Amino acid sequence: MSVPMHQLDVYLDFISPYAYLGFHALPEALEGQSVSVNYKPVLFAGMLKHWGQLGPAEVPPKKVWTFRHVLWLGQQAGRSMQAPAAHPFNPLALLRIAVAKGLAQGGDPNRETCRAIFEHVWETGLPADDAQRTADLAQRLHVTDWNTDAVKQRLRENTEAAIAAGVFGVPSVVWQGRVFWGVDGLPMLRAALEGDPRLSDAAWAAAESIPAAVERPR
């Protein structure tokens, strides 16, 4: 009997240290599963705007905690992770390079393209959005033009598709209409792929019916 191939859409933005960690944790989380993974670069800032959120780096004490946390997680995972010289930064050029490379290959960027860009940001300690470093990265990836209308449109479409699927943060994996958010959501994803009864359709939908007792004025 053939095993069904699970189609996974992985939404990521290279600005996110958790997206970096999740990218590297994903293969282990999916080991032994029959999956096809589509890497979808999105503009995290666009999702934050849509959902009316601040980014973690925009809340000063949360930014400090985030970097303490992710660097510790990186060490725990044996990764050579370093914070870029400044954060947040503008990730648009890096996202467009990834999209352009994917389009040139007939679809979404592959894992090696995403790996190279994540390493550019999270394993050097250098400015992630430096123009010369960005140009050098594009040259290494054989991307000559990442500012075409087609590239910009695909990045918008990816971001809009993520929002339509209910994605609110990165990294997020969408499988059969379900959103699994964050590095710590990967074990839950694996459980779902394995048919964990605790993640039945009814159990999954139950969270949607929890009412709010109070709403904070905005």
Side-chain angles (χ1 to χ4, degrees):
M1 179 184 297
S2 62
V3 178
M5 177 77 74
H6 299 294
Q7 298 290 328
L8 306 180
D9 289 332
V10 179
Y11 292 99
L12 51 83
D13 186 332
F14 304 106
I15 197 171
S16 168
Y18 290 108
Y20 165 88
L21 292 167
F23 174 82
H24 286 293
L26 187 63
E28 182 177 353
L30 298 177
E31 187 175 0
Q33 297 295 308
S34 179
V35 297
S36 176
V37 178
N38 306 307
Y39 293 101
K40 304 281 189 179
V42 294
L43 183 62
F44 182 37
M47 292 194 295
L48 291 173
K49 181 178 180 180
H50 176 84
W51 297 115
Q53 297 176 289
L54 292 176
E58 296 177 279
V59 181
K62 190 172 185 179
K63 175 179 178 178
V64 173
W65 164 253
T66 293
F67 277 94
R68 286 176 179 151
H69 188 217
V70 298
L71 294 174
W72 181 82
L73 289 174
Q75 291 173 351
Q76 290 291 98
R79 311 265 2 138
S80 55
M81 186 179 187
Q82 299 182 60
H87 193 283
F89 58 88
N90 187 342
L92 263 178
L94 301 178
L95 292 166
R96 289 173 179 171
I97 288 171
V99 169
K101 182 67 173 180
L103 288 176
Q105 296 173 329
D108 297 309
N110 61 28
R111 186 166 177 86
E112 290 310 306
T113 296
C114 294
R115 183 194 307 276
I117 300 175
F118 272 124
E119 290 175 354
H120 168 92
V121 177
W122 293 106
E123 295 188 10
T124 64
L126 299 173
D129 55 357
D130 176 78
Q132 186 58 57
R133 291 191 70 233
T134 299
D136 292 344
L137 173 68
Q139 185 176 35
R140 291 198 304 274
L141 293 174
H142 306 290
V143 175
T144 56
D145 191 351
W146 57 91
N147 286 310
T148 66
D149 289 342
V151 168
K152 295 175 183 178
Q153 179 62 24
R154 176 62 69 89
L155 181 58
R156 283 193 295 268
E157 289 172 353
N158 285 354
T159 306
E160 290 167 359
I163 291 170
V167 174
F168 55 88
V170 291
S172 285
V173 182
V174 176
W175 170 68
Q176 294 188 352
R178 299 183 175 191
V179 178
F180 298 84
W181 172 53
V183 181
D184 50 357
L186 294 179
M188 191 177 179
L189 168 64
R190 182 179 182 90
L193 295 175
E194 292 175 341
D196 189 329
R198 294 169 296 181
L199 297 172
S200 67
D201 289 344
W204 188 266
E208 299 175 7
S209 62
I210 300 173
V214 66
E215 292 189 11
R216 179 169 55 88
R218 297 186 180 182

